[in-house]
């Protein structure tokens, strides 16, 4: 189970970064081919619309109607039992913070060492280390993007990681900058003249 969990998170991050690497390339090719900075957004809307249609029309429902109804009823009973005797403030507080409960999957799990249940179990911290390294990498990437964007816009602190590419594509399209001009502007904004 732990190997599957780590593998799934690693695969998810790999796919995310592949998309972050390929997206600007595809967007740049589209902008150059069409001459419009909006064409990548039209492509994104089209792809997302097709994806939603695929989910609703092609992928079958995983439960029968009877199982879904039974699950809803059990959930209602569980909520009533859980909130029984709690003050209204605590119920509201629990329901507003409840969306964080899926993050418990990131906590370390106890594993049996060597397959012997009589030996003392250890905690597996591998997924915590993956998430910590991801957080550090994202904070460094956001910081680097913000430093590079300071001369282009005063709103750089509001931009998430990855927007730098789109700002440069927009600037290149709007001001008719060549790739060499973009490179020089970035170098100048970093102070590497």
């Amino acid at each position: 189970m732990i190997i599957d969990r780590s593998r799934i998170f690693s695969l998810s991050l790999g796919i995310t970064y592949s998309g972050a690497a390929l997206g600007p390339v595809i967007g740049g090719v589209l902008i150059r081919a069409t001459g419009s900075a909006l064409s990548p957004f039209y492509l994104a809307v089209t792809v997302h619309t097709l994806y939603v249609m695929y989910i609703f029309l092609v992928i079958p429902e995983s439960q029968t109607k009877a199982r879904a109804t039974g699950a809803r009823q059990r959930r209602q009973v569980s909520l009533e039992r859980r909130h029984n005797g709690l003050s209204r403030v605590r119920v509201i507080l629990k329901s507003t913070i409840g969306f964080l409960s899926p993050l418990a999957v990131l906590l370390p799990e106890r594993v049996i060492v060597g397959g012997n249940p009589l030996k003392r179990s250890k905690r597996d911290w591998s997924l915590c280390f993956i998430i910590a390294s991801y957080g550090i990498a994202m904070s460094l990437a956001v910081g680097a993007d913000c430093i590079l964007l300071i001369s282009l816009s005063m709103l750089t602190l509001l931009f998430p990681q990855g927007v730098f590419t789109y700002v440069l594509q927009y600037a290149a399209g709007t001001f008719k900058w060549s790739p060499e001009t973009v490179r020089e502007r970035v170098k100048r904004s970093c102070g590497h003249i």
Side-chain angles (χ1 to χ4, degrees), residues 115-186:
N116 186 352
L118 298 176
K119 285 190 175 181
R120 186 173 167 199
S121 62
K122 293 187 341 184
R123 290 192 182 269
D124 179 22
W125 290 85
S126 61
L127 192 57
C128 291
F129 292 142
I130 289 173
I131 297 303
S133 63
Y134 175 73
I136 291 169
M138 285 297 98
S139 66
L140 293 176
V142 170
D145 281 353
C146 289
I147 290 170
L148 292 174
L149 285 169
I150 285 174
S151 66
L152 293 174
S153 170
M154 293 304 288
L155 300 174
T156 57
L157 297 176
L158 302 176
F159 288 153
Q161 182 258 348
V163 171
F164 179 64
T165 307
Y166 302 112
V167 169
L168 287 179
Q169 285 180 349
Y170 174 76
T174 302
F175 303 118
K176 306 295 185 222
W177 289 351
S178 68
E180 293 78 21
T181 307
V182 171
R183 182 172 162 261
E184 288 303 315
R185 298 281 180 163
V186 171

Side-chain angles (χ1 to χ4, degrees), residues 56-127:
F56 285 116
L57 300 175
V58 177
I59 296 180
E61 178 62 43
S62 61
Q63 294 190 47
T64 63
K65 294 226 185 254
R67 272 184 81 180
T69 304
R72 266 191 230 102
Q73 290 171 349
R74 286 191 303 277
R75 170 81 173 145
Q76 189 62 36
V77 169
S78 170
L79 286 176
E80 289 170 1
R81 198 175 328 132
R82 189 178 314 158
H83 298 315
N84 191 14
L86 293 178
S87 69
R88 183 159 173 78
V89 173
R90 284 188 68 187
V91 169
I92 292 172
L93 186 62
K94 256 183 142 177
S95 64
T96 55
I97 300 176
F99 73 94
L100 295 173
S101 62
L103 294 178
V105 73
L106 304 176
L107 296 174
E109 287 187 348
R110 291 209 173 267
V111 293
I112 297 172
V113 180
N116 186 352
L118 298 176
K119 285 190 175 181
R120 186 173 167 199
S121 62
K122 293 187 341 184
R123 290 192 182 269
D124 179 22
W125 290 85
S126 61
L127 192 57

